[in-house]
Amino acid sequence: MMIKETSLRRDPDLRGELAFLARGCDFVLPSRFKKRLKSFQQTQIQNKPEKKPGTPLPPPAPFPSSPRPPSPVPHVNNVVSAALSINIPRFYFPEGLPDACSNHEQTLSRIEAAFMDIEDQKADVYEMGKIAKACGCPLYWKAPMFRAAGGERTGFVSAQSFITMWRKLLSNHHDDASKFICLLAKPSCSSLEQDDFIPLLQDVVDTHPGLTFLKDAPEFHSRYITTVIQRIFYTVNRSWSGKITATEIRKSNFLQTLALLEEEEDINQITDYFSYEHFYVIYCKFWELDSDHDLYISQADLSRYNDQASSNRIIERIFSGAVTRGKTVQKEGRMSYADFVWFLISEEDKRNPTSIEYWFRCMDVDGDGVLSMYELEYFYEEQCERMEAMGIEPLPFHDLLCQMLDLVKPASDGKITLRDLKRCRMAHIFYDTFFNLEKYLDHEQRDPFAVQKDVENDSPEPSDWDRFAAEEYETLVAEESAQAQFQEGSFEDYETEEPPSPSEIVNKGNKIVTSSLSEKCGKLQSVDEE
């Protein structure tokens, strides 16, 4: 069959098409070729750009001297993609950045030598401290190591089982956060839940020299462990998911603080997470509010905190489940001790990032992620009513709103976001204005230049929570000492209903004042009371 049009004949795409047809079969049927050619011409017309008048035609393509059809050229994008995929280095290491210089065999040799010094090369949970040091880990990793190597089932860990476990861990996990998660988490889990911390913290209670007095008061072990767990999640679990990931561990100071337990004998010097004095303050505050001592407080109980300083509307929001974490379901009309830990820290330290998020969730009534003007007015109405009952003339809402907008300086007019409150560094004044009358009046009477100085001061100082806990602890110990001196004259067998005070133990030669709390409350509940 003859093709008379020179332009078609010289078109390289048509020649390529003819070449593909020729390679596909020994001969080409005329009807089949005509159909193929028509389809090709229609495609060329559709893809041809619109030509303006006076535009010269493109020069014809030179006809190749060789009759051999040209090979199809590979697509340029494929070449670029292949080159990029080869040249881009790996940048995501969920299990930590591998260290090419680390000598795992040398570490395993030290572990094997440490087991040689133990009788029968079988270590219990206390002797695991030597193994932890041989691994280059902090002392209080020993309980997680013991459990991960199967020691909980047999009561000991053999050298062979531990080395097998540790070799596998070193090959798959390359930094402390990833290793810690692997040791504590349940099998096939990559995050930590609250009950995963119980063995670690029970070992701290049993072996730390600063908590030896608790050996004679086991009824407070679970309360102390609950407090520490809630403080860990309050600070570390920034996602509010109820599960701590390796990334959150890396961004926190938890592992560094855990390592300090080995160096510091006075556990009260470690104010982050582990301080017994902080636990003592939190538990005593809860015990004062828990009038029926059922280990839960009601909405009416919580409203009595700090002489009813918090408004009823904000307390209703707390009990509505606005600040629950993960899949936790708020028990209707009741707050557990674990939830009270979050409330107390948030109430007394409104500069803390978690506290800012806590109260933002409470004030965001419609849950749209911004505090609108009607939400601010809703909470300020009760403040006005309480001030009028006290004989104080409240500031009109419009004037107060202008002050708050100048304070926060939101990015969008009429809408205050969580980012705005964190950026302004004055969130504690903002929140107290709308639902804590006592602190709001204190802010009003304070010198504004002193407030600005506090905001601009970047020097490391104790947090609001640390200051509150220290002051309250001194007050509680003084009250307890005065009450004990009064009671010693009339009662020989006096029993207090509060946890033992470390200062009392030191002053009285480590004599523990036992508690009748366990008898009144019955069986102690588990650490995870949510």
Side-chain angles (χ1 to χ4, degrees):
M1 182 179 178
M2 297 290 293
I3 300 179
K4 296 182 180 181
E5 294 188 31
T6 307
S7 61
L8 287 178
R9 219 173 144 186
R10 293 181 178 181
D11 192 302
D13 294 331
L14 178 60
R15 291 200 309 274
E17 196 74 20
L18 290 172
F20 292 141
L21 286 172
R23 283 201 301 269
C25 55
D26 294 335
F27 64 94
V28 179
L29 296 175
S31 60
R32 184 174 171 184
F33 178 76
K34 286 181 180 180
K35 186 184 295 185
R36 186 77 174 180
L37 180 61
K38 186 177 180 180
S39 174
F40 170 78
Q41 290 173 339
Q42 290 176 352
T43 304
Q44 290 293 101
I45 293 173
Q46 292 175 0
N47 296 336
K48 188 175 182 181
E50 191 176 40
K51 186 173 68 172
K52 295 182 180 180
T55 304
L57 292 172
F63 194 77
S65 58
S66 173
R68 186 176 180 180
S71 301
V73 180
H75 204 272
V76 178
N77 289 342
N78 294 338
V79 178
V80 175
S81 300
L84 289 177
S85 64
I86 294 173
N87 294 333
I88 294 179
R90 183 182 175 187
F91 58 88
Y92 178 57
F93 299 92
E95 304 300 336
L97 184 65
D99 186 5
C101 300
S102 60
N103 191 340
H104 294 167
E105 293 302 324
Q106 185 177 359
T107 302
L108 295 174
S109 298
R110 289 199 306 267
I111 296 172
E112 189 173 358
F115 269 101
M116 294 292 291
D117 296 336
I118 300 175
E119 185 179 358
D120 297 333
Q121 297 188 24
K122 295 179 179 179
D124 58 19
V125 67
Y126 301 106
E127 292 171 322
M128 282 299 295
K130 302 176 183 177
I131 309 303
K133 301 307 294 181
C135 295
C137 298
L139 175 65
Y140 285 98
W141 283 40
K142 61 181 186 293
M145 289 179 173
F146 183 78
R147 289 171 55 86
E152 190 179 22
R153 296 188 301 270
T154 60
F156 61 87
V157 172
S158 64
Q160 182 179 2
S161 62
F162 184 85
I163 291 175
T164 302
M165 181 274 295
W166 197 250
R167 186 189 299 274
K168 181 179 179 181
L169 184 139
L170 290 176
S171 61
N172 298 324
H173 306 277
H174 309 293
D175 68 346
D176 288 345
S178 177
K179 294 174 185 176
F180 186 78
I181 293 284
C182 179
L183 291 174
L184 252 70
K186 299 177 180 64
S188 70
C189 291
S190 59
S191 58
L192 297 177
E193 299 179 352
Q194 293 192 11
D195 56 350
D196 293 331
F197 285 89
I198 297 176
L200 167 67
L201 298 178
Q202 185 63 56
D203 180 55
V204 173
V205 171
D206 294 338
T207 61
H208 194 277
L211 295 173
T212 53
F213 57 88
L214 279 180
K215 291 182 179 180
D216 296 330
E219 60 269 27
F220 293 109
H221 288 190
S222 65
R223 295 293 158 264
Y224 173 79
I225 291 174
T226 300
T227 306
V228 176
I229 288 176
Q230 297 310 315
R231 295 191 65 187
I232 291 172
F233 274 78
Y234 186 91
T235 303
V236 179
N237 188 210
R238 305 295 300 119
S239 63
W240 287 66
S241 62
K243 296 181 179 181
I244 293 178
T245 62
T247 301
E248 291 175 328
I249 290 283
R250 293 185 188 104
K251 293 181 178 180
S252 71
N253 67 339
F254 175 72
L255 292 182
Q256 294 86 339
T257 306
L258 183 64
L260 287 177
L261 291 176
E262 179 182 355
E263 304 172 5
E264 182 59 63
E265 292 188 0
D266 184 3
I267 201 166
N268 294 314
Q269 297 298 319
I270 306 176
T271 56
D272 292 338
Y273 314 113
F274 297 100
S275 171
Y276 180 84
E277 291 182 359
H278 289 195
F279 155 70
Y280 187 80
V281 170
I282 296 172
Y283 192 74
C284 287
K285 291 293 181 182
F286 181 82
W287 181 254
E288 292 172 1
L289 297 177
D290 186 17
S291 54
D292 55 0
H293 303 313
D294 63 346
L295 298 180
Y296 286 95
I297 58 177
S298 64
Q299 190 168 323
D301 293 333
L302 188 62
S303 64
R304 293 189 290 106
Y305 176 73
N306 201 13
D307 296 329
Q308 298 181 336
S310 300
S311 67
N312 292 324
R313 291 184 178 181
I314 200 68
I315 292 177
E316 289 175 359
R317 286 291 297 158
I318 294 173
F319 278 82
S320 70
V323 288
T324 54
R325 303 167 303 285
K327 297 181 180 180
T328 303
V329 179
Q330 177 78 26
K331 294 181 174 63
E332 185 176 358
R334 298 197 303 172
M335 174 183 282
S336 67
Y337 174 68
D339 293 326
F340 180 78
V341 175
W342 281 63
F343 164 78
L344 187 61
I345 299 177
S346 299
E347 171 59 27
E348 300 302 337
D349 187 3
K350 294 187 176 72
R351 304 173 197 256
N352 188 294
T354 304
S355 175
I356 297 175
E357 297 169 6
Y358 184 97
W359 295 118
F360 186 89
R361 288 180 172 222
C362 290
M363 292 190 69
D364 186 14
V365 178
D366 56 7
D368 62 349
V370 297
L371 301 183
S372 305
M373 299 305 102
Y374 79 89
E375 290 170 325
L376 302 183
E377 187 175 12
Y378 170 75
F379 287 101
Y380 188 64
E381 282 177 355
E382 185 176 353
Q383 296 287 76
C384 292
E385 294 173 359
R386 300 179 68 183
M387 282 188 281
E388 290 173 352
M390 297 170 60
I392 302 174
E393 183 179 357
L395 191 67
F397 176 71
H398 182 270
D399 296 339
L400 178 96
L401 183 60
C402 293
Q403 289 184 1
M404 292 297 103
L405 293 178
D406 290 341
L407 184 79
V408 178
K409 295 180 176 60
S412 301
D413 294 337
K415 295 180 179 180
I416 296 177
T417 64
L418 182 61
R419 183 188 297 269
D420 295 330
L421 290 171
K422 288 184 176 180
R423 186 185 65 248
C424 75
R425 302 176 65 182
M426 305 285 278
H428 59 293
I429 298 178
F430 175 85
Y431 286 136
D432 289 335
T433 300
F434 290 101
F435 54 77
N436 192 305
L437 184 58
E438 180 180 346
K439 293 183 179 180
Y440 166 62
L441 297 176
D442 289 342
H443 294 315
E444 288 293 300
Q445 297 172 3
R446 194 180 180 193
D447 183 6
F449 293 101
V451 175
Q452 186 65 26
K453 185 178 179 181
D454 290 344
V455 173
E456 295 175 354
N457 188 8
D458 293 329
S459 60
E461 292 184 356
S463 66
D464 290 348
W465 165 252
D466 290 338
R467 284 193 291 266
F468 167 81
E471 294 171 1
E472 287 296 320
Y473 180 76
E474 291 180 2
T475 302
L476 289 170
V477 170
E479 292 176 354
E480 182 180 328
S481 299
Q483 186 178 9
Q485 291 176 2
F486 175 77
Q487 294 290 345
E488 280 177 359
S490 53
F491 298 101
E492 294 181 0
D493 298 329
Y494 175 73
E495 290 186 350
T496 181
E497 293 182 344
E498 295 179 349
S501 163
S503 64
E504 180 183 19
I505 294 162
V506 173
N507 295 335
K508 295 184 180 182
N510 293 334
K511 181 180 179 182
I512 304 293
V513 180
T514 58
S515 171
S516 61
L517 178 61
S518 58
E519 299 177 2
K520 293 185 177 182
C521 296
K523 184 179 180 181
L524 289 173
Q525 298 181 355
S526 62
V527 171
D528 189 5
E529 297 174 336
E530 301 182 40

